[in-house]
Amino acid sequence: MTCTATLDPAFVIAPVPPRLFGSFVEHMGRCVYGGVYEPGHPEADAEGLRADVIELTRELGVSAVRYPGGNFVSGYRWEDGVGPREDRPVALDLAWRSLEPNTFGLNEFMSWARQAGVEPIMAVNLGTRGVEDACNLLEYANFPAGTRYSDLRVAHGVRDPHRIRTWCLGNEMDGPWQIGRKTGTEYGRLAAETGKAMRRIDPSIELVACGSSNERMPTFGSWEADVLDEAFDVVDSISLHAYFEQHGEDRVGFLASAQVMDDFIDGVVATCDHIAAKKRSRRRLKLSFDEWNLWHESRFAGQDHLDWARAPRLIEDEYTVEDAVVLGNLLMSLLRHSDRVTIACLAQLVNVIAPIRTEPDSGAWRQTIFHPFALTARHARGEVLRVEPNSPVLHSETLGDVAAVDVTATRDAETGETTVFAVNRDESQAATLRLAMAGEEHAVVEHVVLGGRDLLATNSKAAPRGVEPRSSTRHSTDPKGLSVELPPVSWTMVRTAPVTG
Ligand code: AHR
């Protein structure tokens, strides 16, 4: 099987957006408590922040982190999580039916974010709360001093404002599971009014409106239109969320999850531009894909069955090599939409459907999905090239015909280095990827592969390094381009540099 494509530096989609490699820390399960924060653990610093998790977050290449939820934020009282710890109440978290000790809050998160080198993305509660509380939180976080909430922050030992740039106006407000769910029009009006008031406090902020909770929601498309009818002029972007898993026996459909992501993004772009047309506006809203990952959700009983406990073990999915192949492909979808998707957050960061796992009695380790994310975050540099692969097709029960091979590439104009990401979704045969490269002759600098074998292998506390990308030499170059062998069900990254002299 052969797939062909042309890489031409003249055909550029957009620069790689720095916040495309974001992640998400929610007060859910063991993401915060027992994840990023575990006082008393041998790896914890004086503030209780786990150094091993910070180190892996840096290695993962995470650029931004959304906080504190998620469904959690829709019932959250942010002021319970600031100030002297002994005064902070234990609260009921209605989203996950858990006990929230509030020993970790905004200031601890900001301290963690600084150490991890990530930009914070903050969500406000538009479920049980509204304009006033969002403004109070923004005043506490970003206003320099001399007012009720900014002085409260100073009194809490944080003299300088946090200067948080990006604010999400609520979370998944269309979901029947959401505390304080609203219709698109109700939510759109609240988002617009909240955003308007927040901008009066800090005109420099960026605002993200809630899109649909996923593309299978019955209101998908009309929700975005209703929200943007109200909030188009106030917000900078609209959110997308998607979690992928295999449905029934359709393994090809699962392997082609990136095609579902492509279609979802294209649908939201179309809706944003439809509203722009209705409003005679030339503004092009950006998209914030601020929750995405694989989640074997069919194994999760749902919120209603949870007992009141602190940091219960929730959705600690163990990821396989096959999952890592799919995740690498999802990143390729995000890259090729980088003209519109400028924020994306892998949900979540630690323990809860996460690339990083911890246990109280051990160090942190990398799940299989850690690897394609870390390699893409490190090597997708410069600009995303427009690539139009010519691939054989496979048949999926749910998606119909899908490409067997998918390809994306980036090019760093300064160095001329090109990074190619490719996935072979075919279960039975290897593929040859033949890339014509316009311009200079290239040599391969690095070629790594995940998959092709041991597709059900995982990493675990006992075997934390069982799955790692492996180097490959199965490529060849000539003055016109590059040929790469892609094993069955695999993700590949090839880096090339111009041949000089
Ligand atoms: O990431 C887990 C949950 O998935 C989030 O809380 C919610 O926003 C989504 O439904």
Side-chain angles (χ1 to χ4, degrees):
M1 173 172 66
T2 303
C3 171
T4 57
T6 299
L7 304 187
D8 190 326
F11 293 99
V12 168
I13 296 174
V16 177
R19 289 179 291 177
L20 204 68
F21 304 106
S23 186
F24 175 38
V25 166
E26 176 168 8
H27 285 244
M28 173 182 178
R30 296 192 311 123
C31 186
V32 170
Y33 303 105
V36 298
Y37 177 74
E38 193 168 12
H41 189 277
E43 289 284 347
D45 65 12
E47 293 180 85
L49 305 175
R50 277 186 70 154
D52 52 352
V53 171
I54 288 175
E55 203 178 305
L56 284 185
T57 302
R58 285 181 168 276
E59 184 186 319
L60 188 58
V62 173
S63 52
V65 171
R66 181 168 170 255
Y67 173 83
N71 296 340
F72 171 80
V73 81
S74 294
Y76 185 46
R77 292 168 47 85
W78 64 271
E79 59 275 45
D80 289 349
V82 294
R85 283 215 174 85
E86 58 278 15
D87 297 341
R88 300 189 197 177
V90 174
L92 294 178
D93 160 19
L94 303 186
W96 303 110
R97 291 174 59 88
S98 305
L99 293 178
E100 170 54 51
N102 278 310
T103 47
F104 187 96
L106 171 66
N107 294 323
E108 288 79 20
F109 172 69
M110 290 305 299
S111 175
W112 176 86
R114 257 188 308 279
Q115 291 191 50
V118 303
E119 177 179 335
I121 297 176
M122 198 69 194
V124 301
N125 175 355
L126 292 190
T128 58
R129 305 184 113 184
V131 182
E132 184 176 357
D133 283 302
C135 288
N136 294 347
L137 171 56
L138 178 62
E139 181 185 324
Y140 182 94
N142 281 15
F143 205 77
T147 64
R148 183 191 332 196
Y149 288 102
S150 57
D151 283 348
L152 187 62
R153 183 196 68 242
V154 175
H156 291 161
V158 184
R159 199 196 55 191
D160 295 329
H162 291 306
R163 297 191 185 88
I164 299 171
R165 166 166 63 149
T166 311
W167 294 78
C168 300
L169 297 165
N171 177 71
E172 296 189 350
M173 298 307 304
D174 60 332
W177 57 86
Q178 201 68 219
I179 307 293
R181 177 199 192 191
K182 291 165 181 56
T183 67
T185 303
E186 285 166 353
Y187 166 71
R189 279 193 51 73
L190 178 59
E193 292 305 314
T194 306
K196 182 177 82 184
M198 289 173 77
R199 274 200 208 288
R200 291 202 183 158
I201 297 172
D202 184 349
S204 72
I205 56 175
E206 276 182 29
L207 295 169
V208 184
C210 291
S212 296
S213 298
N214 57 67
E215 42 78 43
R216 297 180 311 281
M217 296 299 286
T219 49
F220 170 54
S222 59
W223 169 271
E224 282 77 0
D226 291 348
V227 169
L228 293 178
D229 265 333
E230 303 294 334
F232 184 85
D233 294 324
V234 178
V235 300
D236 299 284
S237 53
I238 188 153
S239 72
L240 296 84
H241 290 180
Y243 294 99
F244 298 92
E245 66 178 332
Q246 181 169 326
H247 296 288
E249 300 298 309
D250 189 13
R251 184 163 174 224
V252 172
F254 174 57
L255 291 167
S257 295
Q259 182 164 317
V260 178
M261 187 180 242
D262 287 338
D263 294 345
F264 184 17
I265 294 171
D266 293 343
V268 177
V269 167
T271 310
C272 291
D273 294 352
H274 160 69
I275 300 299
K278 265 177 76 179
K279 292 184 181 289
R280 314 287 189 272
S281 169
R282 301 189 66 193
R283 270 187 92 212
R284 291 293 173 262
L285 284 196
K286 299 298 186 196
L287 274 51
S288 172
F289 215 127
D290 47 41
E291 285 186 36
W292 69 273
N293 201 345
L294 310 183
W295 176 358
H296 300 289
E297 221 172 326
S298 44
R299 299 174 200 157
F300 175 55
Q303 285 103 316
D304 295 345
H305 306 278
L306 305 173
D307 293 329
W308 297 108
R310 288 182 190 217
R313 285 178 185 268
L314 293 183
I315 56 170
E316 299 193 356
D317 287 23
E318 189 169 73
Y319 292 110
T320 64
V321 170
E322 183 162 302
D323 291 332
V325 171
V326 174
L327 186 128
N329 200 180
L330 292 170
L331 278 164
M332 291 160 56
S333 168
L334 292 171
L335 278 170
R336 71 174 148 255
H337 289 96
S338 51
D339 52 340
R340 297 301 287 264
V341 180
T342 52
I343 296 176
C345 302
L346 178 67
Q348 299 185 6
L349 181 67
V350 193
N351 290 328
V352 177
I353 43 171
I356 300 172
R357 281 293 317 272
T358 66
E359 284 297 336
D361 59 353
S362 80
W365 71 94
R366 304 164 189 78
Q367 291 236 54
T368 58
I369 60 170
F370 184 101
H371 296 294
F373 189 101
L375 286 165
T376 307
R378 192 170 323 137
H379 297 298
R381 287 273 162 263
E383 292 168 325
V384 185
L385 299 183
R386 191 169 296 285
V387 185
E388 301 288 350
N390 188 353
S391 164
V393 293
L394 300 170
H395 187 73
S396 145
E397 277 164 40
T398 51
L399 305 178
D401 283 350
V402 296
V405 172
D406 194 11
V407 190
T408 306
T410 60
R411 180 172 177 275
D412 185 333
E414 270 174 37
T415 60
E417 283 186 15
T418 300
T419 306
V420 178
F421 303 96
V423 160
N424 178 6
R425 298 164 175 159
D426 194 303
E427 302 165 43
S428 53
Q429 48 178 329
T432 301
L433 174 61
R434 174 70 205 155
L435 291 171
M437 297 178 80
E440 315 129 305
E441 185 176 350
H442 280 243
V444 170
V445 181
E446 185 180 13
H447 175 181
V448 290
V449 178
L450 255 170
R453 55 169 105 124
D454 301 329
L455 292 173
L456 295 181
T458 60
N459 288 340
S460 62
K461 185 172 88 169
R465 307 198 80 126
V467 175
E468 293 195 331
R470 57 184 190 279
S471 294
S472 172
T473 52
R474 303 188 76 87
H475 56 253
S476 60
T477 52
D478 59 50
K480 290 205 171 125
L482 166 72
S483 290
V484 187
E485 188 190 296
L486 311 176
V489 187
S490 64
W491 174 89
T492 292
M493 181 188 79
V494 181
R495 294 170 53 223
T496 71
V499 175
T500 49

Coordinates of all heavy atoms in Angstrom, one line a residue, residues 8-57:
D8 N 5.3 21.4 0.5 CA 5.8 22.6 -0.2 C 5.8 23.7 0.7 O 4.7 24.1 1.2 CB 4.9 22.9 -1.5 CG 5.5 23.9 -2.3 OD1 6.1 24.9 -1.8 OD2 5.3 23.8 -3.6
P9 N 6.9 24.3 1.0 CA 7.0 25.4 2.0 C 6.1 26.6 1.6 O 5.8 27.5 2.4 CB 8.4 25.9 2.1 CG 9.2 25.0 1.1 CD 8.2 24.0 0.5
A10 N 5.7 26.7 0.3 CA 4.8 27.8 -0.1 C 3.4 27.6 0.4 O 2.6 28.6 0.4 CB 4.9 27.9 -1.6
F11 N 3.0 26.4 0.8 CA 1.6 26.2 1.2 C 1.5 26.0 2.7 O 1.8 24.9 3.2 CB 1.1 24.9 0.4 CG 0.9 25.2 -1.0 CD1 1.9 24.8 -1.9 CD2 -0.1 25.9 -1.5 CE1 1.8 25.0 -3.3 CE2 -0.2 26.2 -2.9 CZ 0.7 25.8 -3.8
V12 N 1.2 27.1 3.3 CA 1.2 27.1 4.8 C -0.2 27.3 5.3 O -1.0 28.1 4.8 CB 2.1 28.3 5.2 CG1 1.9 28.6 6.7 CG2 3.6 28.1 4.9
I13 N -0.6 26.6 6.4 CA -1.9 26.8 7.0 C -1.8 27.9 8.0 O -2.5 28.9 8.0 CB -2.3 25.5 7.7 CG1 -2.6 24.4 6.7 CG2 -3.6 25.8 8.6 CD1 -2.9 23.1 7.3
A14 N -0.8 27.9 9.0 CA -0.6 28.9 10.0 C 0.6 28.5 10.8 O 1.0 27.4 10.8 CB -1.9 29.0 10.9
P15 N 1.1 29.5 11.6 CA 2.2 29.1 12.6 C 1.6 28.2 13.6 O 0.4 28.3 13.9 CB 2.5 30.5 13.2 CG 2.0 31.5 12.3 CD 0.8 30.9 11.6
V16 N 2.4 27.3 14.2 CA 1.9 26.4 15.2 C 1.6 27.3 16.4 O 2.4 28.0 16.9 CB 3.0 25.4 15.6 CG1 2.6 24.5 16.8 CG2 3.5 24.6 14.4
P17 N 0.3 27.2 16.9 CA -0.1 28.1 18.0 C 0.5 27.6 19.3 O 0.4 26.4 19.6 CB -1.6 27.9 18.1 CG -2.0 27.2 16.8 CD -0.8 26.4 16.4
P18 N 1.2 28.4 20.1 CA 1.9 28.0 21.3 C 1.0 27.2 22.3 O 1.4 26.3 22.9 CB 2.4 29.2 21.9 CG 2.4 30.3 20.8 CD 1.4 29.9 19.8
R19 N -0.3 27.7 22.3 CA -1.2 27.0 23.3 C -1.9 25.8 22.8 O -2.8 25.3 23.4 CB -2.2 28.1 23.8 CG -1.6 29.1 24.7 CD -2.6 30.2 25.2 NE -3.1 31.0 24.1 CZ -4.0 31.9 24.2 NH1 -4.6 32.1 25.4 NH2 -4.4 32.7 23.2
L20 N -1.4 25.3 21.6 CA -2.1 24.0 21.1 C -1.7 22.8 22.0 O -2.4 21.8 22.0 CB -1.6 23.8 19.7 CG -2.5 23.0 18.8 CD1 -3.8 23.7 18.5 CD2 -1.8 22.6 17.5
F21 N -0.6 23.0 22.8 CA -0.2 21.9 23.6 C -0.5 22.1 25.1 O 0.3 22.0 26.0 CB 1.3 21.6 23.4 CG 1.6 21.4 21.9 CD1 2.2 22.4 21.2 CD2 1.2 20.3 21.3 CE1 2.5 22.2 19.8 CE2 1.4 20.1 20.0 CZ 2.0 21.0 19.2
G22 N -1.8 22.5 25.3 CA -2.3 22.7 26.6 C -2.8 21.4 27.3 O -2.9 20.4 26.6
S23 N -3.1 21.5 28.6 CA -3.7 20.4 29.3 C -4.7 21.0 30.3 O -5.1 22.1 30.2 CB -2.6 19.6 29.9 OG -3.2 18.4 30.5
F24 N -5.1 20.1 31.2 CA -6.3 20.5 32.0 C -6.1 19.9 33.4 O -5.8 18.7 33.5 CB -7.5 19.9 31.3 CG -8.8 20.1 31.9 CD1 -9.2 21.2 32.7 CD2 -9.8 19.0 31.8 CE1 -10.4 21.3 33.2 CE2 -11.0 19.1 32.4 CZ -11.3 20.3 33.1
V25 N -6.3 20.7 34.4 CA -6.2 20.2 35.8 C -7.6 20.5 36.4 O -7.9 21.7 36.6 CB -5.1 20.8 36.6 CG1 -5.3 20.6 38.1 CG2 -3.7 20.3 36.1
E26 N -8.4 19.5 36.7 CA -9.7 19.7 37.3 C -9.7 19.2 38.8 O -9.0 18.2 39.0 CB -10.8 19.0 36.5 CG -12.1 19.1 37.2 CD -13.3 18.6 36.3 OE1 -13.0 18.1 35.2 OE2 -14.5 18.8 36.7
H27 N -10.4 19.8 39.6 CA -10.7 19.2 40.9 C -11.6 18.0 40.7 O -12.8 18.1 40.8 CB -11.3 20.2 41.9 CG -10.4 21.2 42.4 ND1 -10.1 21.3 43.7 CD2 -9.7 22.2 41.8 CE1 -9.3 22.4 43.9 NE2 -9.0 22.9 42.7
M28 N -11.0 16.9 40.3 CA -11.8 15.7 40.0 C -10.9 14.5 40.3 O -9.7 14.4 39.9 CB -12.2 15.7 38.5 CG -12.8 14.4 38.1 SD -13.2 14.3 36.4 CE -13.9 12.7 36.3
G29 N -11.5 13.5 41.1 CA -10.7 12.3 41.4 C -9.4 12.7 42.0 O -9.3 13.5 42.9
R30 N -8.3 12.1 41.4 CA -6.9 12.3 42.0 C -6.1 13.2 41.1 O -4.9 13.0 41.0 CB -6.2 11.0 42.2 CG -6.9 10.1 43.3 CD -6.1 8.9 43.7 NE -5.5 8.2 42.6 CZ -4.2 8.0 42.4 NH1 -3.3 8.4 43.2 NH2 -3.8 7.3 41.3
C31 N -6.7 14.1 40.4 CA -5.9 15.0 39.5 C -5.2 16.0 40.3 O -4.0 16.2 40.3 CB -6.8 15.7 38.4 SG -5.9 16.6 37.3
V32 N -6.0 16.7 41.2 CA -5.3 17.7 42.1 C -4.8 17.0 43.3 O -3.6 16.9 43.5 CB -6.3 18.8 42.5 CG1 -5.7 19.7 43.6 CG2 -6.7 19.7 41.3
Y33 N -5.7 16.4 44.1 CA -5.3 15.8 45.4 C -4.7 14.4 45.1 O -5.5 13.5 44.6 CB -6.5 15.8 46.4 CG -7.0 17.1 46.6 CD1 -8.2 17.6 46.1 CD2 -6.3 18.1 47.4 CE1 -8.7 18.8 46.3 CE2 -6.8 19.3 47.6 CZ -8.0 19.7 47.1 OH -8.5 21.0 47.3
G34 N -3.5 14.2 45.4 CA -2.8 12.9 45.0 C -2.2 12.9 43.6 O -1.6 12.0 43.2
G35 N -2.4 14.1 42.9 CA -1.8 14.2 41.6 C -0.8 15.3 41.6 O 0.4 15.1 42.0
V36 N -1.2 16.6 41.3 CA -0.2 17.7 41.3 C 0.1 18.0 42.8 O 1.2 18.6 43.1 CB -0.7 18.9 40.6 CG1 -1.0 18.6 39.1 CG2 -2.0 19.5 41.2
Y37 N -0.8 17.7 43.7 CA -0.7 18.2 45.1 C -0.8 17.0 46.1 O -1.8 16.4 46.1 CB -1.8 19.2 45.4 CG -1.8 19.8 46.8 CD1 -0.9 20.7 47.2 CD2 -2.9 19.4 47.6 CE1 -1.0 21.3 48.5 CE2 -3.0 19.9 48.9 CZ -2.0 20.9 49.3 OH -2.1 21.4 50.6
E38 N 0.3 16.7 46.8 CA 0.2 15.6 47.7 C 1.2 15.9 48.9 O 2.3 15.3 48.9 CB 0.6 14.3 47.0 CG 0.2 13.1 47.8 CD 0.3 11.8 47.1 OE1 0.8 11.7 45.9 OE2 -0.2 10.7 47.6
P39 N 0.8 16.7 49.8 CA 1.7 17.0 50.9 C 2.1 15.7 51.6 O 1.3 14.8 51.8 CB 0.8 17.9 51.9 CG -0.3 18.3 51.1 CD -0.5 17.3 50.0
G40 N 3.3 15.6 52.0 CA 3.8 14.4 52.7 C 4.4 13.4 51.8 O 5.1 12.5 52.2
H41 N 4.1 13.5 50.5 CA 4.8 12.6 49.6 C 6.3 12.9 49.5 O 6.6 14.1 49.6 CB 4.1 12.7 48.2 CG 4.6 11.6 47.3 ND1 5.7 11.7 46.5 CD2 4.0 10.4 46.9 CE1 5.9 10.6 45.8 NE2 4.8 9.8 46.0
P42 N 7.1 11.9 49.4 CA 8.6 12.2 49.3 C 9.0 13.1 48.2 O 10.0 13.8 48.3 CB 9.2 10.8 49.1 CG 8.2 9.8 49.4 CD 6.8 10.4 49.4
E43 N 8.2 13.2 47.1 CA 8.5 14.1 46.0 C 7.9 15.5 46.2 O 8.1 16.4 45.4 CB 7.9 13.5 44.7 CG 8.6 12.3 44.2 CD 10.0 12.7 43.5 OE1 10.2 13.9 43.3 OE2 10.8 11.8 43.3
A44 N 7.1 15.7 47.3 CA 6.4 17.0 47.5 C 7.3 18.0 48.0 O 8.2 17.7 48.9 CB 5.2 16.8 48.4
D45 N 7.2 19.3 47.6 CA 8.0 20.4 48.1 C 7.3 21.0 49.3 O 6.3 20.4 49.8 CB 8.3 21.4 47.0 CG 7.0 22.1 46.5 OD1 5.9 22.0 47.2 OD2 7.1 22.8 45.5
A46 N 7.8 22.1 49.8 CA 7.2 22.7 51.0 C 5.8 23.1 50.8 O 5.0 23.1 51.8 CB 8.0 23.9 51.4
E47 N 5.4 23.3 49.6 CA 4.0 23.7 49.4 C 3.1 22.5 49.1 O 1.9 22.7 48.8 CB 3.9 24.6 48.1 CG 4.5 26.0 48.3 CD 4.4 26.8 47.0 OE1 3.4 27.4 46.8 OE2 5.3 26.7 46.1
G48 N 3.7 21.3 49.1 CA 2.9 20.1 48.8 C 2.8 19.8 47.3 O 2.1 18.8 46.9
L49 N 3.5 20.5 46.5 CA 3.5 20.2 45.0 C 4.5 19.1 44.7 O 5.6 19.2 45.1 CB 3.8 21.5 44.3 CG 2.9 22.7 44.6 CD1 3.4 24.0 43.9 CD2 1.5 22.5 44.3
R50 N 4.0 18.2 43.9 CA 4.9 17.0 43.6 C 5.9 17.4 42.5 O 5.5 17.7 41.4 CB 4.0 15.8 43.2 CG 3.5 15.0 44.3 CD 2.8 13.7 43.9 NE 3.8 12.7 43.4 CZ 3.6 11.4 43.4 NH1 2.4 11.0 43.9 NH2 4.4 10.6 42.8
A51 N 7.2 17.3 42.9 CA 8.2 17.7 41.9 C 8.3 16.8 40.7 O 8.6 17.2 39.6 CB 9.6 17.8 42.6
D52 N 8.0 15.5 41.0 CA 8.1 14.5 39.8 C 7.0 14.8 38.8 O 7.2 14.7 37.6 CB 8.0 13.1 40.3 CG 6.8 12.8 41.2 OD1 6.1 13.7 41.6 OD2 6.6 11.6 41.5
V53 N 5.8 15.3 39.3 CA 4.7 15.6 38.3 C 5.1 16.9 37.6 O 4.9 17.0 36.4 CB 3.4 15.8 39.1 CG1 2.3 16.4 38.2 CG2 3.0 14.5 39.7
I54 N 5.7 17.9 38.3 CA 6.1 19.1 37.6 C 7.2 18.8 36.5 O 7.1 19.3 35.4 CB 6.7 20.1 38.6 CG1 5.5 20.7 39.5 CG2 7.5 21.3 38.0 CD1 5.9 21.6 40.6
E55 N 8.1 17.9 36.9 CA 9.1 17.5 35.9 C 8.6 16.9 34.7 O 8.9 17.2 33.5 CB 10.1 16.6 36.6 CG 11.5 16.5 36.0 CD 12.4 15.6 36.8 OE1 12.5 15.8 38.0 OE2 12.9 14.7 36.2
L56 N 7.6 16.0 34.9 CA 7.0 15.3 33.7 C 6.1 16.2 32.9 O 6.0 16.1 31.7 CB 6.2 14.1 34.2 CG 7.0 12.8 34.6 CD1 6.1 11.6 34.9 CD2 8.0 12.4 33.4
T57 N 5.5 17.2 33.6 CA 4.7 18.2 32.9 C 5.6 19.0 32.0 O 5.2 19.2 30.8 CB 4.0 19.1 33.9 OG1 3.2 18.3 34.8 CG2 3.1 20.2 33.2

